[in-house]
């Protein structure tokens, strides 16, 4: 090993001073360039990871808005059923107007996620089914029919349970 080192030293001392100076400047310069390139690559990865996190938060926020909107619609309808006051339908009408854009935004956000896109489509079908049941209940209530029919309540409960299962799986997958 010492023989090799002596050979390298001898070769180094035989080089002209200009070559040695150039080599002495180029080595740190190459290291600096390598450091800048590596830093840039890691920085891009960090930005990409941050964008993924922000997108996941948006997805979770939208899914929670859907769940809260449905809950508010049902709560408003149940209050209306009990009190028969038009003011109780305010949360129902608000949910009716906001659920469609929220679901569309959710579908747009998961478009390129193959595990989430089918679940959002399933959520969309369940939400539409539940809103249809709620609309039928409102029509019955407005027509002075019995909104408290057992069949209607059972159908709404079944849809509520299906929605809960799907939204739970969806959010668990997104958090993962």
């Amino acid at each position: 090993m010492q023989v090799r080192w002596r050979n390298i030293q001898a070769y180094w001392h035989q080089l002209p001073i200009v070559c040695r100076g150039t080599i002495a400047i180029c080595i740190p310069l190459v290291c600096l360039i390598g450091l800048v390139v590596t830093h840039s690559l890691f920085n891009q990865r960090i930005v990409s990871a941050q964008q993924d996190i922000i997108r996941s938060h948006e997805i979770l926020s939208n899914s929670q808005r859907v769940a809260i909107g449905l809950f508010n619609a049902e709560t408003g309808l149940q209050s209306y059923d009990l009190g028969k006051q038009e003011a109780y339908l305010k949360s129902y009408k608000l949910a009716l107007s906001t659920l469609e854009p929220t679901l569309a935004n959710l579908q747009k956000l998961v478009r390129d996620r193959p595990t989430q896109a089918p679940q959002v489509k399933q959520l969309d079908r369940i939400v539409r089914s539940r809103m249809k049941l709620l609309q039928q209940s409102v029509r019955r209530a407005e027509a002075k029919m019995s909104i408290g029919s057992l069949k209607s309540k059972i159908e709404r409960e079944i849809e509520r349970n299906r929605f809960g299962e799907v939204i739970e799986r969806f959010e668990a997958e997104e958090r993962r």
Side-chain angles (χ1 to χ4, degrees), residues 5-170:
W5 181 247
R6 279 192 217 135
N7 287 341
I8 291 173
Q9 283 180 330
Y11 180 73
W12 177 257
H13 290 294
Q14 289 176 357
L15 289 175
I17 190 97
V18 173
C19 287
R20 285 188 281 180
T22 304
I23 291 172
I25 290 174
C26 287
I27 289 174
L29 190 61
V30 168
C31 291
L32 181 64
I33 290 171
L35 182 65
V36 168
V37 168
T38 304
H39 181 270
S40 295
L41 292 174
F42 281 129
N43 203 21
Q44 286 176 345
R45 282 182 149 176
I46 289 170
V47 168
S48 176
Q50 287 174 335
Q51 289 172 341
D52 284 345
I53 290 169
I54 289 169
R55 189 166 169 207
S56 287
H57 283 294
E58 280 184 71
I59 290 170
L60 289 170
S61 175
N62 275 292
S63 69
Q64 289 171 358
R65 272 192 230 128
V66 169
I68 290 169
L70 280 174
F71 175 78
N72 288 340
E74 288 183 356
T75 302
L77 183 60
Q78 290 170 354
S79 298
Y80 180 73
D81 187 29
L82 295 173
K84 302 295 184 202
Q85 293 179 6
E86 188 70 27
Y88 292 133
L89 287 180
K90 186 176 183 180
S91 60
Y92 163 77
K93 290 178 181 177
L94 180 64
L96 201 59
S97 65
T98 59
L99 280 174
E100 185 76 30
T102 304
L103 280 168
N105 190 36
L106 192 57
Q107 286 178 345
K108 186 175 93 176
L109 287 169
V110 299
R111 188 177 320 137
D112 62 341
R113 295 185 178 191
T115 59
Q116 296 292 70
Q119 290 181 0
V120 170
K121 287 183 182 182
Q122 186 179 8
L123 280 175
D124 186 46
R125 284 191 302 270
I126 292 170
V127 168
R128 289 182 192 285
S129 174
R130 286 181 71 185
M131 289 308 290
K132 184 178 177 182
L133 289 171
L134 292 174
Q135 287 172 339
Q136 290 170 356
S137 296
V138 169
R139 283 191 209 110
R140 277 189 233 126
E142 288 174 344
K144 305 286 186 217
M145 298 172 108
S146 170
I147 193 169
S149 73
L150 183 60
K151 181 181 176 191
S152 175
K153 285 185 178 182
I154 290 172
E155 287 174 343
R156 288 196 323 246
E157 187 63 31
I158 289 170
E159 288 298 317
R160 183 182 302 126
N161 291 340
R162 280 185 52 214
F163 176 78
E165 291 169 2
V166 172
I167 197 87
E168 191 175 304
R169 281 195 315 264
F170 174 77

